Amino acid sequence: MEKKDLLSSIPAINDFLAAVKSKKIIANYSRRKFLKMLKSELEAIRNDILQENNLTNFDNERLDINKILLKVQKKLASEEKRTLKKVINAGGIIIHTNLGRSLLPQAAVDKVQEIAENYSNLEFDLASGKRGSRYKKIRKMLKDLTGAESALIVNNNAAAVMLVLTVIAKGQEVIISRGEMVEIGGSFRIPDVMESSGAILREVGSTNKVYLDDYLEAVNENTAAVLKVHTSNYRVRGFTHFVEAQEMVEAAHRNNLAVIEDLGSGILFDLSDYGLEYEPTVKEGIKAGIDLLTFSGDKLLGGPQAGIIVGKKNYISKIESHPLMRALRVDKMTLAGLEATLELYYNFEAALDNIPTLKLITEKKELVKKRAKKLITKIKDRKNIDLKLIKSKAKVGGGAYPLSSFASYAVEIDLKEQNIEKFIYKLRQLKIPIIGRIQNDKAIFDLKTVADSEIEELADSINEILSEVF
Ligand SMILES: *Cc1c(COP(=O)(O)O)cnc(C)c1O
């Protein structure tokens, strides 16, 4: 065959569009993306023909419409994998760092959109017409909500801890209990952060016990601060002793030391009425006299990723004027999302109703059961599988409430002879990936973290993959 003939036997775009498979690809990705990928694929084939010296080497199968469409589909799928996208979290962990932690309240989403697509008074004082501070409004809110003298925001809590230590204790000693040398995950260890800030770590006490005297004996002329780290992702139980915040503050202040606390999750309200263990609130820390408290914006607070620093005005001013502050500065979208989230906290009921993280934590288990029932009725029962509604345990996650779990409900699918890993894997490769888990060789879909509006999609996906497996 001659090159000319081979080139003219490349199928036309219309031939592709007529194929059933094309319709499915277009429905999944859009016509524009499909045509773009198809054209680049055809171009590649054309180039290969032009460059081939010995046409007997050319594989005519490459001109097959269905083969080309399969290739286009695979390329679109792998292109899609590269971008950030929505997943359905059927794992039952509410604040899952790998899945993006807290879902933003609707009010925060709206505000982010408004600020993202318009100019704003980010650093502009509308009264004077001059340059203003980007932290002014959020500072006022945090003062109102925590009782602190002042506040600042940076990119995340790790940045907050690092910044505070750099400004307060660079080149000086910071006393920390051995029981609080926390590893947060993602290889973030408190001792490493402290070191990179230039502060010198002075460990006292033992893993399970530390007394005020241990701290006091470690004080010398080069000591700058005492650091408390909330052991948010584990608890030391049993034969233990720790120093109460107030006692620590009094002793530290007598010695002219700053008291810093990394609260980790940081809650504004006590949630122990909702079946969770008691956790100290930010307000209590401030009341006890802690000089600087840091916590995350996207853990229990339920807002966007951010590191929040609240505390004494003189320290906060010093931090604000440090050059690192500029490097860790948050953008307008973070500020917009956080402001709108904090706004909800002015009313406890509004916060519980409108902040998804708090809503899920305080939701009655009967509502979860209802969603589980709805899901199970939508999954097509088949021979060779066992479908069951089961009780399960959901968790807060995000390194918070390590010992608490919630009564929740899940749908359990027993695939018997079939490969369960493959089933779970295939669900993760969908356009809207489903994140389930395997427990005792069965697939578990926990409904705690699945919204009512996602059940239809979840059921369709499970049915689709089941029909492929069987
Ligand atoms: C989660 C956590 C951090 C890190 O916070 P990010 O906002 O993820 O940077 C630091 N300290 C403690 C105690 C934590 O629980």
Side-chain angles (χ1 to χ4, degrees):
M1 205 188 272
E2 297 210 19
K3 270 191 186 181
K4 175 159 70 61
D5 300 327
L6 204 50
L7 285 172
S8 65
S9 58
I10 296 176
I13 298 284
N14 276 336
D15 299 334
F16 286 98
L17 286 171
V20 181
K21 193 164 182 58
S22 297
K23 298 196 171 57
K24 212 173 152 189
I25 301 176
I26 289 170
N28 262 332
Y29 298 99
S30 90
R31 191 181 166 91
R32 190 184 59 80
K33 281 187 189 162
F34 167 69
L35 287 176
K36 195 169 163 224
M37 189 61 82
L38 177 62
K39 282 175 187 165
S40 95
E41 195 50 39
L42 297 179
E43 190 58 36
I45 294 174
R46 192 168 293 122
N47 281 336
D48 285 352
I49 295 174
L50 289 172
Q51 275 160 25
E52 188 61 70
N53 292 325
N54 183 358
L55 286 180
T56 49
N57 284 340
F58 187 81
D59 177 9
N60 283 318
E61 290 265 293
R62 284 187 66 195
L63 300 177
D64 182 81
I65 289 188
N66 278 319
K67 287 232 163 79
I68 292 173
L69 284 176
L70 202 65
K71 200 158 178 195
V72 165
Q73 187 179 30
K74 280 204 169 133
K75 284 195 163 173
L76 283 169
S78 81
E79 196 168 73
E80 180 126 314
K81 257 186 218 157
R82 286 199 289 270
T83 59
L84 208 48
K85 59 171 141 180
K86 172 201 160 109
V87 305
I88 292 179
N89 173 8
I93 295 174
I94 298 173
I95 306 172
H96 197 306
T97 299
N98 303 151
L99 303 182
R101 290 200 182 158
S102 286
L103 309 181
L104 283 190
Q106 188 57 47
V109 173
D110 294 345
K111 182 106 180 198
V112 168
Q113 177 163 5
E114 179 196 331
I115 299 307
E117 62 187 18
N118 292 290
Y119 289 113
S120 64
N121 61 343
L122 179 66
E123 282 189 359
F124 186 76
D125 183 69
L126 294 169
S128 67
K130 297 210 170 77
R131 181 175 177 183
S133 157
R134 76 170 57 203
Y135 306 107
K136 192 172 166 194
K137 190 154 181 286
I138 206 125
R139 173 173 293 150
K140 165 84 170 63
M141 294 174 125
L142 285 164
K143 280 163 69 176
D144 288 347
L145 295 168
T146 67
E149 287 177 13
S150 191
L152 266 180
I153 308 296
V154 288
N155 269 319
N156 53 27
N157 188 31
V161 174
M162 166 132 176
L163 178 64
V164 165
L165 289 174
T166 303
V167 176
I168 305 296
K170 187 171 180 170
Q172 290 183 278
E173 291 185 11
V174 174
I175 308 171
I176 179 173
S177 159
R178 291 196 171 89
E180 297 177 0
M181 309 274 273
V182 179
E183 170 167 328
I184 310 301
S187 74
F188 173 83
R189 287 179 171 163
I190 282 294
D192 299 339
V193 174
M194 291 183 68
E195 237 158 56
S196 68
S197 76
I200 302 156
L201 211 63
R202 189 66 201 269
E203 301 165 33
V204 296
S206 61
T207 306
N208 56 329
K209 289 204 175 198
V210 66
Y211 298 92
L212 188 59
D213 278 348
D214 294 326
Y215 286 95
L216 290 175
E217 278 161 22
V219 177
N220 62 44
E221 64 284 354
N222 197 30
T223 310
V226 177
L227 175 67
K228 272 175 76 69
V229 179
H230 188 53
T231 58
S232 44
N233 52 8
Y234 67 96
R235 291 283 183 275
V236 181
R237 285 276 168 93
F239 189 58
T240 59
H241 188 271
F242 302 103
V243 184
E244 290 296 326
Q246 201 155 348
E247 198 186 357
M248 170 109 88
V249 166
E250 279 164 17
H253 287 174
R254 275 200 304 277
N255 287 281
N256 292 320
L257 305 178
V259 182
I260 303 164
E261 179 161 16
D262 171 14
L263 265 179
S265 216
I267 53 168
L268 297 186
F269 296 120
D270 174 21
L271 294 173
S272 51
D273 282 352
Y274 295 90
L276 290 170
E277 326 163 50
Y278 166 78
E279 284 252 3
T281 64
V282 179
K283 216 175 193 159
E284 284 165 331
I286 293 293
K287 210 166 153 207
I290 308 252
D291 297 296
L292 291 163
L293 276 142
T294 73
F295 55 100
S296 294
D298 54 354
K299 289 186 180 171
L300 278 169
L301 192 78
Q305 177 187 307
I308 301 171
I309 308 170
V310 294
K312 303 273 166 65
K313 201 169 170 177
N314 58 334
Y315 287 121
I316 298 273
S317 304
K318 211 171 149 195
I319 294 168
E320 195 172 1
S321 54
H322 192 279
L324 249 191
M325 184 67 208
R326 176 59 187 251
L328 305 175
R329 182 170 90 168
V330 289
D331 76 320
K332 59 190 177 184
M333 289 187 282
T334 301
L335 277 174
L338 194 56
E339 276 185 20
T341 306
L342 289 174
E343 193 85 54
L344 295 165
Y345 273 98
Y346 279 83
N347 176 334
F348 185 50
E349 302 301 323
L352 291 188
D353 262 357
N354 296 298
I355 297 173
T357 297
L358 294 185
K359 195 180 169 111
L360 286 180
I361 286 174
T362 57
E363 179 191 48
K364 293 212 161 55
K365 65 173 189 236
E366 288 72 29
L367 293 172
V368 187
K369 190 173 189 179
K370 225 168 128 182
R371 294 201 290 277
K373 278 185 171 165
K374 191 166 158 187
L375 176 63
I376 210 164
T377 58
K378 287 180 187 290
I379 298 175
K380 288 196 199 79
D381 211 348
R382 301 163 184 273
K383 265 202 314 239
N384 304 327
I385 71 165
D386 255 351
L387 207 54
K388 241 196 251 163
L389 192 153
I390 59 162
K391 283 187 175 163
S392 69
K393 298 244 180 267
K395 293 198 89 108
V396 174
Y401 296 100
L403 307 181
S404 301
S405 56
F406 302 91
S408 178
Y409 288 90
V411 170
E412 179 194 273
I413 305 180
D414 186 351
L415 289 188
K416 307 268 180 69
E417 313 289 276
Q418 297 294 328
N419 185 336
I420 191 85
E421 268 97 19
K422 193 164 172 197
F423 177 60
I424 291 287
Y425 167 82
K426 284 195 159 199
L427 284 167
R428 277 203 312 271
Q429 311 312 310
L430 293 170
K431 191 167 157 61
I432 299 180
I434 311 289
I435 314 296
R437 69 170 194 269
I438 299 172
Q439 194 175 294
N440 303 328
D441 289 328
K442 296 175 186 91
I444 307 280
F445 302 93
D446 195 309
L447 274 291
K448 182 72 183 170
T449 42
V450 177
D452 206 37
S453 58
E454 291 173 327
I455 292 177
E456 198 75 48
E457 174 76 34
L458 178 56
D460 287 352
S461 303
I462 291 173
N463 286 330
E464 183 188 326
I465 303 299
L466 280 176
S467 71
E468 273 179 33
V469 173
F470 290 99

